[in-house]
Amino acid sequence: MASVFDTRIEFLKGMGTARAELLNKELGIFTFGDLLEHYPFRYEDRTRFSRISELNEQMPSAQILGRITGVELVKGKGKQRLVATFSDGTASMELVWFQSIGYFQKFLKIHSNYIVYGKPALFGGIFTIQHPEIELYQSDKPLPGYFQPIYSLTEKLRKKFIESKSFTGWIRTLLPQVEPYIHETLPESILTRYRLISKKTAYQYLHLPGNLQEQNQAQRRLKFEELFYNQLKLISLSLVRKNEFAGQIFNKTSLLTTFYKDHLPFDLTGAQKRVIREVFDDMKSGKQMNRLVQGDVGSGKTIVAFITMLMAIDGGAQGCMMAPTEILAQQHYTNLRKYCDLLHLNIRLLTGSSGKKERKEIHEGLLNGSLHILVGTHAVLEDVVQFHNLGICIIDEQHRFGVAQRARLWEKNTRTYPHMLVMTATPIPRTLAMTLFGDLDISEIDELPPGRKPIKTVHRYEANRLAVWGFMREELAKGRQIYVVFPLIEESEKLDLKNLFDGYENIRAAFPEYAVSIVHGKMKPKDKDYEMQRFKKGETQIMVATTVIEVGVDVPNASVMVIESAHRFGLSQLHQLRGRVGRGAEQSYCILMTGYELSKDTRKRMETMVESENGFYISKIDLELRGPGDLAGTQQSGLVDLKIANLARDEEILRIAREEAFDILHKDPGLEFAEHLPIKMHLSKIKDKSLSWSRIS
Ligand code: ADP
Ligand code: MG
């Protein structure tokens, strides 16, 4: 059904085809609806006027009412510039133009009053605004104080004199035309409960705010709406799944009890116990479990995984644990093997390098049920790998595996889908996890086992290099091993590789008495693994590498992590890298190397690393600094597509929106209640191609 919102913008009075075409091309704005939903991203306060005598350089911008007292064309060595003297009775200042000089020579009238707006800067003791916004002030009118919304624009648009003010003009024309057709999208009860303004008013206040309060009200309302629908979609998806997919009921605990009583190697932390309880509740619920366990490196996820598998084995089923690399799979296998031996359980490892005979044995053991646990890499996904009764799949380091791969694991048990436990050492803020993995329930191991020595983290500059090497030498002399990590990204791959090799040579020259490994992404996986193994076995003492050293790789004797050009890494990535050390009994160190000139953001990143070792806190800061789009592993998700809400700042709104969405779907899954009609109607409008709503409506 065509609506007024589908009207093409060239039909808006005052727009014209040329500008409409530019907006199509530059901003993807085609229709009235698009224009209405091109939200301003900030506001400039034009309600306040400053006097020239009050100006200071810290002001991001100032608005001044004054009079032009002189105009002069100055021809210096370089470009010529137009300089106007501007005064307001308290002092005078200069307005300067380097471009469109001819235009402004005509425009500026001496002794006329103007309102100017721009960033004041001091040049030779005189305040100056370059290329100010300027308009003639007609003195019979009151001072026109207002909030100017600022819209995202491109250079091309600016060249054609399309500015934020142009949008304000268009919206003024557009709103009265479309207003009668703007339907409320939230139920009355929610509007009342949270004192949210109507959708109609929200558009008005967002684009044409009269004051700060109106602007805030508009944002709050639209953020709520956005997050509410985001959660509604995700939750309904997970409700659908839970209602649809039964899970095997695992409620026996004889093996588990034996393990707890006789073999548990340490007391579980409170966080581990809590997560195990959450998992157990899922496993006995009769519904398929889909749970994400977030926990920093070293928080003890492995034992949680093992205990989860015991629950399934207790119930007569099998477990499978998948890791992204051979070396990680090997490591898990070695660790779990010890526990399995104590309990007389059969466990095998399956990777790309497993031999033919070995595979055959494994396949048979899985099929006849004598093999209880399979640990492996992607190799476990192959179709030939079939189970007698797969009850639980554990995926370690989740961000490497996509949803498609999870689905392939489901298919390994066609009678009842196996329970799924996904584990990640890259904690992301709960807010983000909720929007990103809304189809997974979330558990957090937010506590480290006792007695772990914090890693000492320091920030050092290029000039301190010799001292850093001196420190490395001391640690090596104590028998410790060291990682030195270099950045490598595709865009500057050649240069980065050169830096890596130069770094490698420098280290070899500086530490001739030690063996140095090198590992990078251009090497064949086999060679990488070989080199990693050498380091792990202690045959080499220094490992020079790019970020390919795997998450979760355990070399307890490695106690120093040097990160070169640390400013080029994201915060979460730095934290990940630091997690490679601190796995043994020794004091561990992380040294962040940078040059002296650092941006504000970089400083904040380095400071955060030095002051905190808490992955949840660090990822929150990372989210604030970079926004969700850049956070590790979330780029391709496509789920965090928010226009106005900000996951770093709007956690509280998200929480409420999620509660409400949950509550509504719980009470009224088909959205049949009269008061939920606005939701049902809005959903049918925004129907997402990728999600099927047929199931709930
Ligand atoms: P993660 O996989 O979360 O990075 P691991 O499961 O590898 O962490 O555990 C890190 C180390 O801590 C292992 O050596 C493990 O045996 C040990 N560990 C785990 N839980 C505890 C605990 N509750 N008390 C003491 N040590 C623990
Ligand atoms: Mg682990």
Side-chain angles (χ1 to χ4, degrees):
M1 195 180 66
S3 78
V4 62
F5 299 101
D6 298 325
T7 313
R8 298 189 58 96
I9 49 171
E10 50 263 45
F11 298 111
L12 184 70
K13 207 165 150 261
M15 169 73 70
T17 39
R19 290 197 289 183
E21 228 170 80
L22 264 175
L23 289 181
N24 295 169
K25 251 202 232 122
E26 295 292 301
L27 297 174
I29 297 175
F30 291 91
T31 64
F32 282 11
D34 294 341
L35 187 58
L36 209 55
E37 302 219 325
H38 186 61
Y39 294 160
F41 64 92
R42 66 182 174 89
Y43 294 84
E44 281 174 359
D45 183 353
R46 307 285 180 93
T47 58
R48 295 203 356 251
F49 285 82
S50 304
R51 295 178 192 287
I52 296 175
S53 61
E54 297 166 353
L55 294 183
N56 68 61
E57 277 205 294
Q58 270 66 57
M59 293 171 135
S61 56
Q63 178 168 247
I64 304 148
L65 173 64
R67 173 187 301 252
I68 301 274
T69 56
V71 180
E72 187 188 356
L73 189 63
V74 181
K75 291 183 179 147
K77 264 180 286 170
K79 273 194 269 178
Q80 58 175 9
R81 61 185 196 274
L82 188 69
V83 179
T85 312
F86 185 64
S87 83
D88 68 351
T90 68
S92 59
M93 63 182 298
E94 290 184 346
L95 310 175
V96 177
W97 287 267
F98 295 96
Q99 269 140 31
S100 311
I101 287 178
Y103 171 83
F104 283 105
Q105 273 178 316
K106 281 202 210 96
F107 175 82
L108 298 171
K109 302 269 183 294
I110 296 195
H111 302 311
S112 293
N113 288 320
Y114 291 87
I115 294 171
V116 305
Y117 183 88
K119 159 113 191 92
L122 268 177
F123 285 103
I126 297 175
F127 273 104
T128 303
I129 297 181
Q130 292 184 2
H131 288 266
E133 281 182 37
I134 181 162
E135 64 185 295
L136 197 62
Y137 172 62
Q138 269 105 4
S139 56
D140 53 327
K141 282 195 203 159
L143 280 182
Y146 59 96
F147 279 84
Q148 176 60 52
I150 303 299
Y151 296 87
S152 60
L153 292 168
T154 65
E155 221 26 65
K156 270 215 180 101
L157 293 172
R158 282 203 191 88
K159 278 215 179 98
K160 298 285 174 191
F161 298 103
I162 294 177
E163 302 165 8
S164 288
K165 277 197 178 159
S166 323
F167 280 89
T168 303
W170 294 324
I171 295 283
R172 267 187 220 290
T173 316
L174 177 63
L175 261 184
Q177 279 181 53
V178 298
E179 207 147 34
Y181 307 97
I182 299 175
H183 294 297
E184 185 48 62
T185 56
L186 293 172
E188 198 54 50
S189 60
I190 288 188
L191 294 182
T192 322
R193 188 150 51 242
Y194 301 106
R195 300 214 177 102
L196 297 172
I197 58 176
S198 73
K199 178 106 183 192
K200 238 181 241 195
T201 316
Y203 278 135
Q204 169 86 29
Y205 286 2
L206 189 79
H207 289 292
L208 308 168
N211 55 45
L212 195 65
Q213 195 196 357
E214 288 184 356
Q215 171 200 316
N216 287 338
Q217 283 177 329
Q219 285 179 324
R220 195 163 149 267
R221 142 83 212 206
L222 293 168
K223 282 174 177 185
F224 187 97
E225 173 180 330
E226 182 166 58
L227 293 170
F228 175 77
Y229 279 97
N230 162 293
Q231 289 300 303
L232 205 63
K233 282 196 248 178
L234 288 168
I235 294 167
S236 67
L237 214 63
S238 91
L239 285 183
V240 165
R241 200 200 52 228
K242 278 185 192 159
N243 290 332
E244 211 157 63
F245 302 127
Q248 298 194 61
I249 297 178
F250 296 133
N251 54 9
K252 300 203 187 72
T253 57
S254 65
L255 261 177
L256 201 60
T257 313
T258 310
F259 182 66
Y260 269 36
K261 228 174 54 214
D262 301 335
H263 306 300
L264 200 61
F266 35 65
D267 290 334
L268 296 172
T269 63
Q272 285 171 321
K273 283 186 199 158
R274 188 185 67 235
V275 172
I276 290 168
R277 215 172 304 128
E278 285 164 356
V279 167
F280 191 54
D281 285 344
D282 286 354
M283 299 267 274
K284 62 184 187 195
S285 71
K287 308 267 169 70
Q288 188 203 17
M289 169 171 77
N290 276 279
R291 186 168 284 281
L292 173 73
V293 175
Q294 302 201 78
D296 250 323
V297 166
S299 60
K301 294 184 289 295
T302 318
I303 190 97
V304 172
F306 181 69
I307 288 168
T308 304
M309 288 196 277
L310 283 187
M311 295 173 195
I313 297 167
D314 255 326
Q318 295 159 295
C320 172
M321 182 157 178
M322 189 159 100
T325 63
E326 199 152 334
I327 190 165
L328 280 175
Q330 172 75 50
Q331 201 169 280
H332 279 316
Y333 174 72
T334 313
N335 287 335
L336 299 183
R337 176 77 198 267
K338 283 182 240 151
Y339 301 142
C340 286
D341 286 350
L342 294 168
L343 294 167
H344 309 293
L345 294 176
N346 292 322
I347 179 170
R348 294 292 295 258
L349 175 69
L350 179 70
T351 69
S353 48
S354 304
K356 224 176 173 179
K357 182 164 159 271
E358 211 180 338
R359 279 171 195 257
K360 194 157 166 277
E361 282 170 22
I362 291 172
H363 294 163
E364 279 171 15
L366 288 175
L367 266 183
N368 67 29
S370 62
L371 187 50
H372 301 107
I373 295 180
L374 179 68
V375 177
T377 55
H378 286 81
V380 306
L381 291 174
E382 286 167 21
D383 288 336
V384 288
V385 180
Q386 293 294 329
F387 293 77
H388 172 65
N389 177 13
L390 179 60
I392 171 81
C393 289
I394 314 254
I395 302 182
D396 196 14
E397 306 308 349
Q398 157 277 330
H399 56 284
R400 305 283 196 82
F401 295 110
V403 177
Q405 284 164 323
R406 258 198 272 155
R408 277 184 76 186
L409 281 171
W410 288 29
E411 306 299 330
K412 301 266 175 206
N413 190 338
T414 44
R415 271 161 307 167
T416 319
Y417 288 133
H419 295 293
M420 302 290 299
L421 192 70
V422 175
M423 305 198 304
T424 172
T426 320
I428 56 173
R430 194 169 260 274
T431 26
L432 186 59
M434 275 189 313
T435 46
L436 206 55
F437 307 117
D439 62 325
L440 296 174
D441 295 308
I442 301 164
S443 291
E444 289 175 349
I445 309 188
D446 47 7
E447 182 186 349
L448 293 179
R452 219 179 124 271
K453 282 207 186 90
I455 300 168
K456 284 196 181 138
T457 303
V458 293
H459 178 196
R460 291 286 180 266
Y461 300 95
E462 208 42 55
N464 310 124
R465 179 161 304 277
L466 285 182
V468 171
W469 279 357
F471 174 75
M472 288 164 66
R473 208 162 274 123
E474 284 169 26
E475 289 297 300
L476 288 164
K478 290 186 208 157
R480 310 283 133 71
Q481 288 165 285
I482 295 180
Y483 293 105
V484 182
V485 174
F486 286 81
L488 188 143
I489 56 168
E490 244 166 70
E491 291 82 65
S492 53
E493 189 182 277
K494 272 209 184 113
L495 190 64
D496 286 350
L497 271 175
K498 183 179 178 304
N499 286 338
L500 175 75
F501 290 125
D502 288 352
Y504 172 67
E505 289 306 331
N506 289 341
I507 292 210
R508 287 214 323 178
F511 301 91
E513 64 276 42
Y514 295 104
V516 186
S517 280
I518 181 165
V519 169
H520 56 83
K522 297 277 121 184
M523 288 162 70
K524 291 206 188 92
K526 254 180 107 173
D527 299 338
K528 264 197 303 196
D529 263 10
Y530 173 78
E531 212 46 46
M532 272 312 302
Q533 291 292 1
R534 262 179 17 112
F535 184 66
K536 206 173 162 174
K537 285 186 219 145
E539 294 169 15
T540 61
Q541 289 78 46
I542 304 177
M543 160 69 72
V544 175
T546 57
T547 53
V548 293
I549 34 170
E550 302 302 344
V551 176
V553 166
D554 205 356
V555 184
N557 191 47
S559 65
V560 181
M561 163 67 62
V562 180
I563 305 178
E564 297 286 345
S565 304
H567 57 280
R568 290 187 49 202
F569 293 92
L571 198 40
S572 293
Q573 213 179 0
L574 289 171
H575 178 61
Q576 277 299 310
L577 286 170
R578 176 169 57 184
R580 293 305 85 75
V581 296
R583 310 194 134 230
E586 310 307 332
Q587 175 63 55
S588 292
Y589 304 87
C590 175
I591 302 170
L592 309 166
M593 301 292 299
T594 70
Y596 276 110
E597 267 179 40
L598 298 176
S599 69
K600 213 173 118 209
D601 273 13
T602 305
R603 259 185 211 292
K604 176 82 183 164
R605 271 183 283 150
M606 299 305 133
E607 280 164 23
T608 306
M609 281 293 290
V610 170
E611 88 190 9
S612 174
E613 230 190 294
N614 179 335
F616 290 98
Y617 171 76
I618 286 173
S619 67
K620 190 167 163 27
I621 303 288
D622 201 19
L623 181 61
E624 279 169 21
L625 288 178
R626 298 204 291 173
D630 295 329
L631 227 66
T634 65
Q635 292 94 326
Q636 305 97 326
S637 73
L639 281 172
V640 194
D641 182 18
L642 300 173
K643 277 165 88 104
I644 187 162
N646 177 323
L647 290 176
R649 273 167 229 142
D650 301 324
E651 186 160 358
E652 181 59 17
I653 301 180
L654 174 62
R655 197 182 56 72
I656 298 169
R658 181 174 170 82
E659 262 170 32
E660 286 295 335
F662 201 87
D663 195 47
I664 286 172
L665 284 175
H666 183 71
K667 284 193 204 126
D668 181 18
L671 299 173
E672 304 296 341
F673 298 178
E675 77 151 337
H676 296 154
L677 190 65
I679 302 178
K680 197 166 180 168
M681 298 216 341
H682 187 59
L683 275 177
S684 71
K685 252 190 259 167
I686 60 170
K687 214 174 10 196
D688 197 312
K689 287 166 226 93
S690 62
L691 304 175
S692 164
W693 280 97
S694 55
R695 283 152 157 180
I696 72 149
S697 52

